[in-house]
Amino acid sequence: MIIKTKKDVLVKPANNYKIRQKEIKMKFKVFPIMMLVASSYFYGQITPQGNQSATEQNAVATDGEYILKDIVIDGVQKYSPAQILRFAGLNKGEKLEIPGQRISNAIKKLWETQSFSKVDVYVQSQEGDEVVLKFSLKDLKDLGEVKFVGKGIGKSKNEKLIKDNGLKPGTKITQNLISTLKEKIPQDYIKKGFADAKIKIDEKPNAKDPQNMEDWTIEVSKGKRVKIDHIEFVGNESISDRKLRAKGFKDTKQRRLSIGGILHPSKFIEDKYDSDKENLINYYNSLGFRDAKIVSDSVWRNKRNNYEIKVDLSEGKKYYIGDITFSGNTAFPTEYLQRLLGYKKGDIYDVVGFNKKVGEDGGKEDDSDIRSVYMNNGYLFSSVTPVEKSVSGDSINLEVRI
């Protein structure tokens, strides 16, 4: 039987090896009982060697406890059997369960050396209760010369990409390195609105050391900047789509022409879109819609390959300020704090503005909010907190606790 474990290099812990055991018939004096890791791409499973039927596979049982007599190495020459045993944490003469956790741990340790691109383990031979294990290994190649090509990539940009991504000669070429590059480099372009950015890595043997080194040519294709054709709001009965796009979405803009016929910039950047959704709710809150929320939102590509955005809203009720009281203010009179606050009963309940005047940010030199007044007068550890005490109809009674 052969056990193949397929995994991302150096990512999956030992307890993620999932083993499904089968037995197979021995042949040619080499018994491929176990291969726990076949390559850096896969997850653990056992698969039979050859085309034996289920009946043949169950004819010979090889599972059990054995004494490790020795190991042989196939595929690499720069490591001795003693070194491989040390890397794997195994010792001649020790007892091993086949299959078992010790073999799984040994394979995991070999992956963790970041020296191999393949680790296969077989039973080479069996005599009584003794076994010889065969470690079939493949060295990770080292990185040779690296060159980035693509539109807008000159000498300085090429050098910067190499430096920023740690692609110096001698770097071990792991699947993790490749995956990281394919994720990280396009992201730099995606943040600028090039949603379809990607890279392609062309490999070739290094001229000076073709056996151990590879040269890379990394082609960067940023594609076209993807625009936003339309932003639609649903459920906004009190505020128009146009105003929400202008006041709520500060960085996420749909394509539009100005009065002079100039096309305004439009690009979709996910991080800024997430921030704009928060801005949208803050805008509603500033207009008294304390309970406004986004029920759902959708982003998709249309036939023109541009973005469409739809935001489903629940505005809730519009609230006004009820009674405002102060507590704990021994240093300054209530009348002074009321004037500084600037809000009174009957005003629209602007949650955002009210919190700023109380001192949400604090520490301003111009004494423009209550907390700054306290801090600027020596009360460095003062706490000023707005509290919604009660709701009466469409009015909210507030207390400022100091």
Side-chain angles (χ1 to χ4, degrees), residues 3 44 66 180 205 272 377:
I3 304 174
Y66 296 88
T180 299
K272 291 187 177 181
N377 283 275

Side-chain angles (χ1 to χ4, degrees), residues 59-76:
V60 179
T62 57
D63 295 4
E65 187 176 72
Y66 296 88
I67 296 172
L68 180 59
K69 181 180 179 181
D70 204 352
I71 68 167
V72 295
I73 303 172
D74 178 51
V76 297

Side-chain angles (χ1 to χ4, degrees), residues 174-226:
T174 65
Q175 185 60 32
N176 190 47
L177 173 64
I178 295 171
S179 299
T180 299
L181 289 174
K182 288 186 175 181
E183 172 69 21
K184 180 183 176 183
I185 295 174
Q187 279 300 320
D188 292 337
Y189 290 93
I190 290 171
K191 290 176 181 177
K192 298 174 183 177
F194 298 95
D196 299 324
K198 60 184 178 180
I199 67 168
K200 178 184 176 184
I201 301 175
D202 291 323
E203 307 163 346
K204 67 175 183 179
N206 179 268
K208 296 180 180 178
D209 189 356
Q211 295 299 318
N212 299 307
M213 299 187 77
E214 273 185 0
D215 294 339
W216 278 3
T217 299
I218 304 176
E219 182 181 355
V220 180
S221 175
K222 66 180 182 179
K224 295 181 178 180
R225 184 177 273 117
V226 182

Side-chain angles (χ1 to χ4, degrees), residues 112-123:
E112 289 176 344
T113 64
Q114 300 191 44
S115 299
F116 308 106
S117 62
K118 183 185 79 169
V119 178
D120 295 349
V121 180
Y122 301 85
V123 169

Side-chain angles (χ1 to χ4, degrees), residues 258-402:
S258 66
I259 296 175
I262 300 172
L263 190 63
H264 281 257
S266 168
K267 56 186 176 182
F268 180 82
I269 301 173
E270 189 172 358
D271 290 345
K272 291 187 177 181
Y273 173 61
D274 290 337
S275 296
D276 276 343
K277 286 189 288 184
E278 294 180 10
N279 292 335
L280 182 67
I281 297 305
N282 287 336
Y283 176 59
Y284 262 104
N285 291 162
S286 71
L287 299 176
F289 295 93
R290 162 183 173 266
D291 301 325
K293 63 181 180 180
I294 294 174
V295 177
S296 65
D297 67 293
S298 304
V299 180
W300 70 95
R301 303 278 282 271
N302 59 26
K303 292 180 180 180
R304 290 160 48 87
N305 210 29
N306 288 332
Y307 284 109
E308 300 277 349
I309 298 175
K310 181 179 179 181
V311 181
D312 192 354
L313 294 161
S314 173
E315 291 182 330
K317 191 189 325 185
K318 188 171 185 177
Y319 289 92
Y320 299 85
I321 294 175
D323 295 326
I324 304 175
T325 59
F326 293 82
S327 62
N329 54 314
T330 56
F332 300 98
T334 298
E335 293 76 9
Y336 171 70
L337 296 179
Q338 285 176 331
R339 289 196 303 271
L340 185 61
L341 181 62
Y343 286 91
K344 63 183 183 299
K345 186 174 182 178
D347 288 346
I348 292 173
Y349 180 34
D350 174 3
V351 179
V352 177
F354 191 91
N355 289 342
K356 285 183 178 179
K357 290 300 290 184
V358 167
E360 185 178 53
D361 301 326
K364 296 178 181 177
E365 295 182 359
D366 59 359
D367 289 352
S368 58
D369 60 73
I370 295 174
R371 186 161 182 255
S372 293
V373 167
Y374 273 87
M375 293 181 70
N376 294 339
N377 283 275
Y379 299 93
L380 300 180
F381 302 102
S382 61
S383 173
V384 185
T385 308
V387 178
E388 295 180 354
K389 289 191 67 177
S390 61
V391 179
S392 177
D394 63 354
S395 297
I396 296 182
N397 299 315
L398 301 163
E399 179 183 1
V400 180
R401 295 176 182 174
I402 301 170

